[in-house]
Amino acid sequence: MARDSAIPPESFDEILSWFNTDRDTAASIYLQLRSDLEKLFTLRRCHDPRGLVDQTFDRVARKVSEVKPDYDGDPKLYFYGVARNLIKEDSKKIKSYASLEEIEALSASEPEIKEETDELRKDCLHECLQELTGAKRELIRNYYVKEKQAKIDHRAELARRLGTSVNTLRVRVFRIRHELEECIEQCLDRKAQRK
């Protein structure tokens, strides 16, 4: 993917000084952050992880002189915030074409990446289920146990046992799923940062 902007040297120097006053230490932090962000974008199944890393740094470079003076805390967290926004934007984009090289590159690494990503998602799901209250965990598990007509009948019975309508049950489950999805997203972010 072609880049349409580059980080101006003065912005790059400002980013490095934001990481650390020692240039060598700052360079190490920069390289590690690039690697961590690429893993994050890969875990999130973004189309062009390296390009999104570049976009993350480009966006921060445009704002670094405004943000740096008043920012309190680890500057890497600011980069992760920008990356999270890019993930949301990337998921909304509809790709109208892909080059053969991109397809071949993705196809070659896809089984390995998919297997690792699926395993991480399962781990995060398990962790997040444990964080739910017992009642929520039991409800979400019971809601998804059957298939086809048995699923419909089971959910009607579950709603009756809870003394509520099927629609109210759906809303409850939707809220629990939303909570789980946010938890899984945060878990995947943490695991990507650790790698």
Side-chain angles (χ1 to χ4, degrees), residues 6-193:
I7 300 175
E10 60 277 1
S11 294
F12 184 71
D13 289 339
E14 198 161 355
I15 287 172
L16 289 178
S17 71
W18 192 18
F19 289 148
N20 197 296
T21 53
D22 177 59
R23 188 98 169 157
D24 290 336
T25 303
S28 295
I29 293 169
Y30 166 78
L31 291 172
Q32 184 61 52
L33 181 58
R34 284 193 66 87
S35 174
D36 292 345
L37 288 171
E38 187 172 346
K39 288 175 187 169
L40 173 65
F41 289 128
T42 301
L43 282 172
R44 294 317 203 72
R45 298 180 178 160
C46 294
H47 175 258
D48 181 19
R50 284 190 183 142
L52 289 172
V53 171
D54 291 339
Q55 284 184 45
T56 302
F57 276 91
D58 287 349
R59 286 189 183 186
V60 174
R62 286 192 290 263
K63 294 276 191 184
V64 70
S65 60
E66 298 169 30
V67 174
K68 182 182 166 190
D70 298 324
Y71 190 84
D72 188 29
D74 187 351
K76 291 185 288 185
L77 297 177
Y78 186 80
F79 283 81
Y80 280 106
V82 171
R84 177 173 267 152
N85 289 336
L86 282 169
I87 289 167
K88 290 176 184 173
E89 289 173 25
D90 187 68
S91 68
K92 290 178 184 175
K93 284 181 187 175
I94 299 172
K95 303 293 181 189
S96 58
Y97 72 93
S99 71
L100 289 175
E101 290 127 14
E102 288 174 338
I103 292 170
E104 288 171 4
L106 284 173
S107 297
S109 63
E110 196 171 284
E112 194 175 290
I113 291 170
K114 184 177 180 341
E115 189 175 301
E116 181 181 342
T117 303
D118 289 348
E119 196 60 39
L120 283 172
R121 284 183 182 281
K122 284 179 189 172
D123 291 346
C124 286
L125 174 60
H126 181 70
E127 286 177 30
C128 292
L129 279 170
Q130 296 309 311
E131 290 179 22
L132 291 176
T133 63
K136 285 182 178 179
R137 188 170 45 249
E138 185 179 336
L139 178 59
I140 197 88
R141 284 182 172 157
N142 280 333
Y143 191 80
Y144 290 105
V145 296
K146 310 257 182 189
E147 291 186 29
K148 299 183 181 176
Q149 184 61 43
K151 172 177 73 176
I152 296 166
D153 296 340
H154 177 72
R155 290 178 180 175
E157 175 60 24
L158 188 58
R160 189 191 60 70
R161 275 190 278 144
L162 293 171
T164 188
S165 70
V166 173
N167 283 336
T168 303
L169 176 63
R170 283 187 195 124
V171 171
R172 283 186 193 170
V173 170
F174 172 80
R175 288 181 181 147
I176 296 169
R177 273 189 63 147
H178 182 71
E179 188 178 332
L180 273 173
E181 286 167 4
E182 283 186 349
C183 178
I184 290 168
E185 188 174 308
Q186 291 168 1
C187 176
L188 288 171
D189 288 349
R190 282 193 309 271
K191 288 182 185 290
Q193 289 175 20

